[in-house]
Amino acid sequence: MRRQTSTSGINPAGSSRALRLDPLSLPVSFAAHDIRADGGVRQIELHRERVVLRRAVHGMRMAINVRVSDFLGIAMRENSDGQMLVLVHRDPSLSIPLCVSAEREEIASAWQMWSDIFSLPQLHDATREPAPRRRRRNVIRARRPKFLVRRRAGGLLNPAGNYQGEREIIARD
């Protein structure tokens, strides 16, 4: 059985002032605010190597498993309650709140601890736009066509067309 701690209360973790997850007590499971999910709440399981996001959209339940190495880093953002630490992903809907506090010293120490635990950089520019989607190479175009794959590539019997020791018959018009 694995150890889990959860935050409870009326407000979900993403909107609460008291959101303070301890990086030394991983894995942790908590609820966070999600405007797209049914009920406006999603469940997050935070491990050292991966993050599991569970939510339901229009009655369809889903679980998204993301490696921690896929996140860009730990960012500090300003909000109405003070400052907030966020585990930033390239897709903004996958970003995860980690800590909300009005005290600068607490945020700075938590920022360093989360960065060390996940081996991710501390991001200072957290409000930038997500990177454009990379263009993939067309893998199929580099392959041989399907009908050529079925055929054997054979060599010509006499590639130069030199016939020796034979009489040649030529039909003239």
Side-chain angles (χ1 to χ4, degrees):
M1 186 100 184
R2 62 182 174 191
R3 179 180 56 166
Q4 289 186 353
T5 60
S6 64
T7 58
S8 63
I10 299 170
N11 295 333
S15 64
S16 174
R17 290 184 191 183
L19 175 63
R20 288 183 182 91
L21 299 176
D22 185 16
L24 301 176
S25 66
L26 293 178
V28 64
S29 178
F30 63 98
H33 181 68
D34 187 358
I35 58 172
R36 294 181 187 167
D38 294 347
V41 177
R42 65 180 169 178
Q43 278 300 119
I44 298 173
E45 291 179 23
L46 194 59
H47 302 266
R48 287 187 187 268
E49 301 87 23
R50 72 184 192 287
V51 176
V52 181
L53 303 163
R54 298 180 195 279
R55 68 180 186 174
V57 179
H58 298 296
M60 182 182 296
R61 294 182 359 198
M62 63 182 80
I64 303 168
N65 193 355
V66 183
R67 292 187 316 242
V68 170
S69 60
D70 291 340
F71 286 88
L72 299 176
I74 312 294
M76 183 169 39
R77 294 185 177 160
E78 297 290 331
N79 67 357
S80 61
D81 298 334
Q83 294 178 337
M84 177 168 68
L85 285 181
V86 178
L87 184 59
V88 179
H89 192 269
R90 186 175 168 188
D91 181 4
S93 65
L94 296 179
S95 294
I96 298 169
L98 298 173
C99 180
V100 176
S101 178
E103 300 175 16
R104 282 196 175 276
E105 297 81 25
E106 182 182 0
I107 288 288
S109 65
W111 196 10
Q112 183 64 44
M113 286 176 63
W114 281 110
S115 178
D116 292 342
I117 292 287
F118 287 145
S119 299
L120 291 174
Q122 294 178 355
L123 301 177
H124 296 283
D125 185 21
T127 58
R128 67 182 180 93
E129 291 295 318
R133 190 170 183 171
R134 289 188 323 182
R135 190 169 175 178
R136 292 178 42 195
R137 293 185 193 159
N138 192 350
V139 179
I140 296 172
R141 188 172 34 151
R143 296 184 195 158
R144 292 180 66 186
K146 196 171 190 174
F147 77 95
L148 287 178
V149 172
R150 289 189 306 238
R151 294 176 52 195
R152 272 189 349 156
L156 297 174
L157 296 175
N158 194 356
N162 295 334
Y163 296 96
Q164 297 174 351
E166 296 180 17
R167 291 186 342 159
E168 199 171 328
I169 300 174
I170 299 174
R172 308 252 177 197
D173 290 345

